Amino acid sequence: MILEMKNIKKHFGDHEVLKDISFNVDKGEVVSIIGPSGSGKSTLLRCATFLETIDGGEIVYMGKHAARTNAQGQAVYVDHKELREFRGYCGLVFQQFNLFPHYDILKNLIDAPIHVQGRSKEEATATAMDLLGKMGIADRANAYPYQLSGGQQQRVAIARALAMKPQILFFDEPTSALDPELTGEVLKVIRQLADEHMTMVVVTHEMPFAKAVSNRVLFMDGGVVVEQGDPHDVFDNPQEERTKQFLRVFER
């Protein structure tokens, strides 16, 4: 098992965003998380990738605890050195690409492997060019982000995450900033990664894609997992009334 998140709780001030959420991800599995805006999906991903700290629960990667609740009911994380190792297990692709505008595409990909992971420039460059080729944009290695379409920029962002050789890749609504044509480009790349058994967690509003690609679907609302299971069961025969209401919108 790559990831276990157990009884996760997260507050922002008095607002409880995540309420006792538990789920796990096995190696090679694709888990899609669906639900209305404000349901806590992005916060869950940010907690899983250590961009936010949890207030309670456990985060376990590769069988090792990154965080757990102590006897006083507070979440305690491992020390900074160990946490750096845990961060290396996961990659995150954002909605808004988050590329460095003053770096060309190649430097966007090789900077972290060299300076964070200590890889040689030659190795990092070879990996980056291989990934850009896989994304169909090797010819854009010396371009800058502003010279690329949104779909190309998101493919660069995926390649940049993969350049760190993560065990699991998280996507936070990777197509929400794209028009329908460019959305197809990015979903094709994610589908290809799924075919290669890359372990992924995808927050998405693309319901047909989630149904086709996922091994498991979680439906979140109000900071809880309302329903989860096989994508065909969740989409074709949802058990919870709230799930039915949500999916009805997409059938229109």
Side-chain angles (χ1 to χ4, degrees), residues 192-232:
Q192 180 184 345
L193 293 172
D195 290 341
E196 295 169 3
H197 305 292
M198 180 73 200
T199 309
M200 295 184 285
V201 177
V202 186
V203 169
T204 183
H205 288 300
E206 301 290 336
M207 299 300 143
F209 173 80
K211 183 177 178 180
V213 172
S214 310
N215 301 103
R216 196 151 34 91
V217 172
L218 275 66
F219 170 60
M220 283 181 64
D221 189 29
V224 301
V225 175
V226 176
E227 188 165 349
Q228 65 174 302
D230 178 276
H232 294 282

Side-chain angles (χ1 to χ4, degrees), residues 15 125 127 141 219 232:
H15 180 45
T125 300
T127 299
F219 170 60
H232 294 282

